[in-house]
Amino acid sequence: MSESATGSPPVVKEHYYGGQAVPGGVMMRGRDLWAVAVRRPDQTIHVESHEIDSIAKRHRILARPGFRGVIALGQALGIGARALVIATNQSVEEDQRLTTGQMAMTMTLAFAVFVAIFVVGPFVGFRALRHNVHSSVMLNVLEGIGRVALFVGYLWLIGRLKDVRRVFQYHGAEHKTIAAYEHDAPLNPESVDRFSTLHVRCGTNFLLIVMILTVILFAAFPARSLLAGILLRIVAIPVIAGISYEFLRLGARFEKSAVMRALMAPGLWLQKITTKPPTEDQIEVAIASFNEVLRREAEPAA
């Protein structure tokens, strides 16, 4: 959790809220529902919210460590895709809007390209060195370093694009708003803007933890053939995601620990690329999304 400008300790909440920046707005997620707020071309703010139908509620074993990370990742991808469709269509003129099918195809293609470039690509590329590097452990370490370098370089490069930088500003607004709530500060732009754009539970931290864990896992289980290596890297994604999720929760729970702060530091440094200082109107959108979650949570149960 971010520290306030005054250095006051955060207020302990019963639930860790999260969110995601989307084109023109912010998605905020609570325990049982999520909301998205988007700045329309006419400068009004569109807000809508939806309940979360979690399979972990019906099957308690899926809420236990090891399983809940995989479920959380699946839910995050599903909710994120829906929020992205809403945000994209609300932030552009009506004649530019995409259908659900078009967005689904785009998201599927984007995920496939991500896996190909950041998961399979480094393995295939560094496999060419296997005749020069005879240690499988060292080869996997080099692959991991290459993967992280490729990921960081990619984030830095796209962050220079105007539209992506704007999304990164909304990412900063999301973090500031959640930090303000966690410190029991008023949810208004002036108050929220005092907080940091960096947050220990950020998805950027999660992705970096995933990439670091791949080095350890693939070094422990080296693949002898090209096909086996590719399959291992794809099949291992849920396992690594589950472990990374638990590690991220530990980071949030024991954020004052010197050891945990040191372990989380690289992820926070990386957020300096993926978050940018937001404008007041962007903070207003993030607050609107978060307030919608709080409003829905305060409603009496049906």
Side-chain angles (χ1 to χ4, degrees):
M1 306 174 199
S2 308
E3 291 186 1
S4 69
T6 60
S8 58
V11 175
V12 178
K13 303 295 180 181
E14 294 182 357
H15 172 70
Y16 289 137
Y17 290 89
Q20 173 186 319
V22 292
V26 174
M27 181 276 289
M28 292 290 192
R29 176 178 173 175
R31 187 192 303 275
D32 300 311
L33 54 92
W34 60 275
V36 60
V38 187
R39 182 75 69 177
R40 286 170 165 165
D42 63 4
Q43 297 307 302
T44 59
I45 300 177
H46 171 81
V47 181
E48 64 178 84
S49 56
H50 302 271
E51 294 183 357
I52 299 173
D53 182 19
S54 176
I55 190 174
K57 292 180 181 178
R58 299 190 294 273
H59 304 280
R60 291 298 180 184
I61 190 174
L62 297 179
R64 294 180 179 178
F67 294 102
R68 62 187 179 187
V70 179
I71 299 300
L73 177 62
Q75 286 180 343
L77 291 174
I79 293 171
R82 291 182 63 188
L84 191 60
V85 172
I86 295 169
T88 301
N89 286 338
Q90 290 294 332
S91 62
V92 299
E93 300 295 344
E94 190 169 350
D95 60 348
Q96 298 177 308
R97 295 179 178 179
L98 300 175
T99 65
T100 302
Q102 289 173 324
M103 185 58 73
M105 185 177 297
T106 301
M107 292 293 293
T108 301
L109 179 61
F111 181 75
V113 170
F114 179 87
V115 171
I117 294 176
F118 296 105
V119 178
V120 177
F123 167 67
V124 175
F126 280 91
R127 184 175 169 79
L129 299 177
R130 67 187 184 279
H131 299 300
N132 304 100
V133 181
H134 301 292
S135 169
S136 61
V137 173
M138 180 56 67
L139 193 61
N140 278 284
V141 169
L142 290 174
E143 176 193 337
I145 293 173
R147 180 178 288 109
V148 172
L150 181 65
F151 180 61
V152 172
Y154 167 77
L155 291 177
W156 178 83
L157 187 62
I158 66 169
R160 300 175 68 85
L161 301 175
K162 182 179 178 180
D163 288 344
V164 175
R165 182 179 178 85
R166 190 161 174 261
V167 173
F168 285 177
Q169 287 180 291
Y170 276 112
H171 191 191
E174 173 222 327
H175 285 186
K176 283 175 174 282
T177 302
I178 292 176
Y181 172 78
E182 290 174 338
H183 287 82
D184 210 26
L187 293 183
N188 59 64
E190 182 179 356
S191 170
V192 168
D193 199 29
R194 295 187 300 113
F195 292 84
S196 173
T197 59
L198 310 183
H199 201 289
V200 71
R201 292 197 315 277
C202 175
T204 305
N205 281 31
F206 176 81
L207 288 175
L208 188 59
I209 293 169
V210 166
M211 292 192 176
I212 292 173
L213 285 178
T214 60
V215 178
I216 300 172
L217 180 65
F218 299 150
F221 300 98
R224 294 182 176 235
S225 69
L226 177 64
L227 180 59
I230 293 175
L231 290 176
L232 174 63
R233 279 150 181 77
I234 294 176
V235 172
I237 290 176
V239 177
I240 295 173
I243 298 172
S244 300
Y245 177 82
E246 298 303 326
F247 191 79
L248 202 62
R249 285 178 64 91
L250 283 175
R253 185 175 179 183
F254 301 105
E255 62 166 327
K256 294 185 180 297
S257 163
V259 174
M260 196 58 69
R261 280 180 176 271
L263 291 173
M264 289 296 177
L268 293 174
W269 295 336
L270 188 57
Q271 286 179 47
K272 293 184 178 182
I273 297 178
T274 64
T275 64
K276 299 298 178 185
T279 60
E280 182 176 316
D281 67 314
Q282 290 171 328
I283 295 175
E284 288 177 350
V285 173
I287 292 173
S289 180
F290 195 73
N291 278 337
E292 174 65 8
V293 171
L294 297 181
R295 183 191 69 80
R296 288 287 305 274
E297 288 184 338
E299 292 177 346

